Amino acid sequence: MSELAVPGIAYGGDYNPEQWPEEVWAEDVRLMREAGVTMVSVNIFAWALLEPREGEYDFSRLDRILALLHENGIAADLATPTAAPPAWFFRAHPDALPVDRDGRGLSYGSRQTFCPSSPAYREAALRITGELAARYADHPAVVMWHIHNEYGCHNAECYCEASAEAFRGWLREKYADDLEALNRAWGTTFWSQWYYDWDEIIPPRATGAVPNPAHQLDWRRFCSDELLSLYKAEREVLRAAAPSVPATTNFMVMYNFDALDYWRWAPELDIVSNDHYLQSTDPESEIDIALSGDLVRSLAGGRPWLLMEHSTGAVNWQPVNRAKTAGELRRNALAHVARGADGIAYFQWRAAKAGAEQWHSAMLPHAGTDSQIWQDVVQLGADLRALAEVRGSTGTAKVAIVWDWNAWWSVELPSQPSGEVRFQDLVRAWYEPLWRAGVAVDFVRPDADLSAYRVVLAPSLYLVDDEGAANLVGFAERGGTLAVGFHSGAVDENCHVRLGGYPGAFREALGVRSDELFPLLPGEPVGLSEGGTASVWSERVRLDGAEAVTSFASGPLTGVPAVTRHTHGTGTTWYVATLPDPSTLADLLDRIRTEAGVTPVRVTPEGVEAVLRRGEDADYLFLINHGDRSAEVEVPAGAADLLAGKPVEGGTVTVRAGDVVVVREPR
């Protein structure tokens, strides 16, 4: 990860001064300084103003904006405005507009209304990027390039003829121009789908029955790679002009986005960045913040990252947009810092009075400075200044959860044994008990280096290739503890079922074999022999060296093992052939990680989240109280309360209800 030339924990948000009269700008920077803002993202949606006609440019406004920011000591994360091409572009190039799965052409009039495979779009995007790079490569305000914005948020898939041609090109490269190899990989002997010419292959458009799963999976891979190619093309233009200025783009690692394989994207970013928004209907959205933060840190290779967007209050794009409660703005932001964020930013600086996001909250709300949000924003700026020394510190996890976008995409394709099996739900179900127990967690690819971990969990790994399966099994053989969830290891990278019984790639290592699957109907749980219930899934498990830990106590598989344990090599493997209720699953995961010698970061009262960042000379313990009563937490001698700016006395700190305490602990 490259270094960001902004001291301490960067603080700011998206700044869109082009939406306001120029006389407002002076007030903006004055209030930014009052709030402690150190960096803002600019120019994200300014293409139409920068290039009013094709090949004609007007940078005078942006020149003045950057000069004003620099004069006031505020750094600029300068964006390429390529997420929103101007209307004149689409009038000149109507074939650049996207086409949906049903063949319906979409119009311009919002953002990301372009086909990712459009040659005209690529040419225009690289041209405006080149102009920006040439003009601002050495500008003293510019500390980072912000390429595009939220790739794939609205146009991850386009089904037009240009996309079809690009898809065929991608396939020819992947399969080494061997059409027979593609036919074998896709299993096209099924339903007479064999292809005799590359030009016969089209995107998985709307059709009369269920499309080929391997076809759909390769399409998802292509769509992710096609957008990645656009990012890399812009990055290379910027890098050629300003090799020392890092580049990023904002990921969306959050509950409602699955379009891009970020394991493939992350190595291409100089600094990994993320956007995260709460789901209004989630009663414990703090768990989603933690899961997202741990995943983004893992994408960054364990290094710090930047939170480029979140909200001070309500958003505007959910059915009901909930405002944040007292203290929630502060808890949310510092929870991201706890999980590795070295920068905190919001959408946006000043709330818009017009446009599609006029009801989206901002750092400076419609009510102005006489508002609770503004008071909270100023307080957070002071908090982040107090935490400057935390910058650069890392995580401490000994537990890893396997996360794979290919497994996610494939398990939720049509015609599965159960439509109730959802990747994110299963991962969160396993993650949540660890979060409640204060156990640090990383996320890993199936083929990652696992040597730093004692426990690896694979809650949902329906698809896994031979290399990934061998890596996970090898981890157990060498002494690790591997726990695998149901319907994992079932298919290879081409969505071909691994024959011989379930759970496919992991049968031998787990010491079990299932010959038939028995998905459970919604609302019909079954009992477990050791107490508790289970839902979603069951299967007829036969022991093949493993021992039964828990069996089904009711339902069609009464007496059949539901959870098993096995010694494999010098390690231990577990198979969880159902979804236990939350309490039962928590007890099981406590047993698994305790037997492996994994302890919590800190034992805390219920409702108090404990997260540890490890620096060169000290550790930083974040204590976030999500409960409604104060709590006492023990800390080592010599500790200091960074937010309060004073030593800790008496060996304990008090974390008030809804509050956050950050403790520097001597090494």
Side-chain angles (χ1 to χ4, degrees):
M1 175 174 171
S2 300
E3 278 292 317
L4 180 66
V6 176
I9 307 296
Y11 184 42
D14 286 9
Y15 182 40
N16 300 294
E18 65 274 6
Q19 298 175 9
W20 299 91
E22 193 160 347
E23 55 265 25
V24 175
W25 300 357
E27 181 188 32
D28 281 333
V29 293
R30 178 181 64 80
L31 291 175
M32 286 179 190
R33 294 179 66 177
E34 180 180 327
V37 167
T38 58
M39 182 178 75
V40 292
S41 297
V42 293
N43 201 51
I44 293 175
F45 296 116
W47 192 345
L49 299 179
L50 294 181
E51 190 178 6
R53 285 165 295 280
E54 185 169 357
E56 298 181 20
Y57 303 99
D58 180 3
F59 292 105
S60 58
R61 182 185 290 101
L62 184 55
D63 287 345
R64 297 194 300 275
I65 292 166
L66 292 176
L68 182 64
L69 292 172
H70 183 60
E71 289 165 7
N72 286 273
I74 300 166
D77 169 32
L78 180 58
T80 64
T82 53
W88 62 253
F89 169 79
F90 293 111
R91 291 188 67 192
H93 305 284
D95 55 347
L97 288 163
V99 174
D100 69 13
R101 186 171 178 267
D102 295 318
R104 180 184 58 163
L106 304 182
S107 180
Y108 60 90
S110 60
R111 63 175 182 167
Q112 290 188 344
T113 52
F114 63 87
C115 164
S117 299
S118 164
Y121 168 77
R122 181 179 290 252
E123 179 182 350
L126 295 184
R127 187 174 64 242
I128 187 69
T129 297
E131 294 291 332
L132 281 167
R135 191 174 187 90
Y136 299 113
D138 299 317
H139 197 289
V142 177
V143 297
M144 185 166 62
W145 299 113
H146 185 303
I147 299 176
H148 200 80
N149 186 71
E150 295 183 335
Y151 274 102
C153 184
H154 305 288
N155 65 338
E157 299 175 78
C158 174
Y159 294 82
C160 72
E161 285 304 316
S163 297
E165 184 63 30
F167 182 41
R168 288 189 284 269
W170 183 90
L171 291 169
R172 294 184 79 147
E173 181 176 355
K174 177 178 180 179
Y175 293 103
D177 214 24
D178 185 345
L179 190 54
E180 186 171 341
L182 177 141
N183 279 298
R184 289 195 304 269
W186 285 14
T188 56
T189 53
F190 189 83
W191 279 0
S192 189
Q193 293 174 339
W194 190 275
Y195 297 105
Y196 290 94
D197 191 291
W198 289 100
D199 288 340
E200 294 171 0
I201 300 173
I202 58 175
R205 296 168 176 149
T207 187
V210 178
N212 185 322
H215 184 180
Q216 294 178 84
L217 181 58
D218 265 351
W219 171 252
R220 297 295 299 270
R221 291 164 171 159
F222 157 75
C223 291
S224 177
D225 282 356
E226 191 75 342
L227 286 167
L228 178 56
S229 75
L230 290 175
Y231 167 82
K232 290 164 66 175
E234 288 193 33
R235 183 201 62 195
E236 290 309 302
V237 171
L238 298 167
R239 186 172 285 175
S244 63
V245 179
T248 192
T249 190
N250 40 345
F251 289 172
M252 290 182 290
V253 176
M254 50 191 288
Y255 68 92
N256 64 344
F257 187 77
D258 72 341
L260 305 181
D261 182 351
Y262 286 135
W263 287 124
R264 290 178 62 83
W265 281 68
E268 304 295 342
L269 275 61
D270 296 321
I271 298 176
V272 169
S273 303
N274 192 50
D275 294 353
H276 185 274
Y277 291 97
L278 307 184
Q279 183 179 11
S280 290
T281 55
D282 186 348
E284 294 184 296
S285 55
E286 59 268 22
I287 301 174
D288 189 57
I289 291 176
L291 192 158
S292 173
D294 284 341
L295 179 51
V296 178
R297 185 189 64 251
S298 301
L299 289 165
R303 300 296 304 158
W305 50 280
L306 302 178
L307 181 68
M308 295 302 292
E309 285 186 30
H310 68 313
S311 65
T312 57
V315 296
N316 70 306
W317 41 266
Q318 299 182 31
V320 176
N321 295 290
R322 182 182 67 82
K324 293 189 177 182
T325 56
E328 192 173 2
L329 180 154
R330 186 170 186 253
R331 289 195 305 277
N332 289 171
L334 295 182
H336 286 291
V337 176
R339 303 279 165 178
D342 273 1
I344 294 294
Y346 289 95
F347 181 84
Q348 57 180 324
W349 162 251
R350 182 184 283 270
K353 65 178 181 180
E357 294 181 295
Q358 66 192 97
W359 291 110
H360 193 296
S361 62
M363 300 175 77
L364 184 60
H366 293 136
T369 56
D370 184 17
S371 62
Q372 185 62 53
I373 281 182
W374 175 252
Q375 294 175 32
D376 292 345
V377 163
V378 173
Q379 176 60 54
L380 180 60
D383 289 340
L384 295 177
R385 287 194 298 274
L387 297 179
E389 68 180 81
V390 173
R391 173 179 171 147
S393 54
T394 59
T396 61
K398 294 299 178 185
V399 175
I401 294 178
V402 181
W403 180 289
D404 184 64
W405 273 272
N406 286 271
W408 183 353
W409 295 334
S410 56
V411 79
E412 296 184 14
L413 290 172
S415 297
Q416 282 285 328
S418 172
E420 297 298 307
V421 177
R422 289 179 285 271
F423 178 87
Q424 270 200 320
D425 290 350
L426 293 174
V427 172
R428 175 156 166 169
W430 286 47
Y431 177 88
E432 183 174 327
L434 300 168
W435 177 84
R436 293 190 188 283
V439 175
V441 172
D442 285 343
F443 287 87
V444 294
R445 300 166 53 123
D447 59 353
D449 179 1
L450 304 175
S451 58
Y453 305 106
R454 295 182 181 178
V455 175
V456 172
L457 308 175
S460 183
L461 196 60
Y462 170 70
L463 178 150
V464 63
D465 61 18
D466 291 345
E467 180 185 1
N471 187 53
L472 295 169
V473 169
F475 168 75
E477 289 174 346
R478 294 186 295 272
T481 295
L482 173 68
V484 176
F486 63 81
H487 209 31
S488 293
V491 300
D492 65 14
E493 67 274 18
N494 296 315
C495 278
H496 292 200
V497 173
R498 294 180 180 274
L499 303 178
Y502 318 113
F506 301 115
R507 280 195 316 268
E508 182 180 347
L510 298 173
V512 298
R513 180 179 180 274
S514 301
D515 70 336
E516 193 166 3
L517 308 176
F518 286 75
L520 300 172
L521 294 174
E524 293 188 11
V526 296
L528 296 173
S529 61
E530 302 300 308
T533 61
S535 62
V536 178
W537 193 268
S538 65
E539 59 189 67
R540 190 159 50 214
V541 175
R542 300 176 182 177
L543 301 179
D544 190 12
E547 61 176 306
V549 174
T550 302
S551 299
F552 294 108
S554 63
L557 298 180
T558 299
V560 171
V563 177
T564 64
R565 184 182 185 277
H566 182 52
T567 299
H568 185 70
T570 58
T572 304
T573 59
W574 296 75
Y575 186 48
V576 186
T578 190
L579 179 61
D581 67 77
S583 177
T584 302
L585 181 57
D587 290 343
L588 175 62
L589 291 171
D590 277 349
R591 176 180 171 182
I592 290 171
R593 56 99 177 163
T594 300
E595 287 186 7
V598 174
T599 58
V601 165
R602 198 64 44 87
V603 176
T604 60
E606 184 177 356
V608 178
E609 178 180 359
V611 191
L612 195 69
R613 288 184 64 164
R614 176 146 293 165
E616 291 186 3
D617 304 312
D619 292 339
Y620 301 98
L621 178 66
F622 287 71
L623 299 168
I624 307 171
N625 192 343
H626 301 286
D628 56 5
R629 62 183 63 184
S630 292
E632 300 290 324
V633 179
E634 293 186 8
V635 296
D641 183 334
L642 292 182
L643 296 178
K646 62 182 181 181
V648 174
E649 298 178 357
T652 63
V653 292
T654 300
V655 191
R656 297 189 304 273
D659 202 4
V660 182
V661 172
V662 182
V663 179
R664 182 208 297 122
E665 299 182 340
R667 186 63 49 76

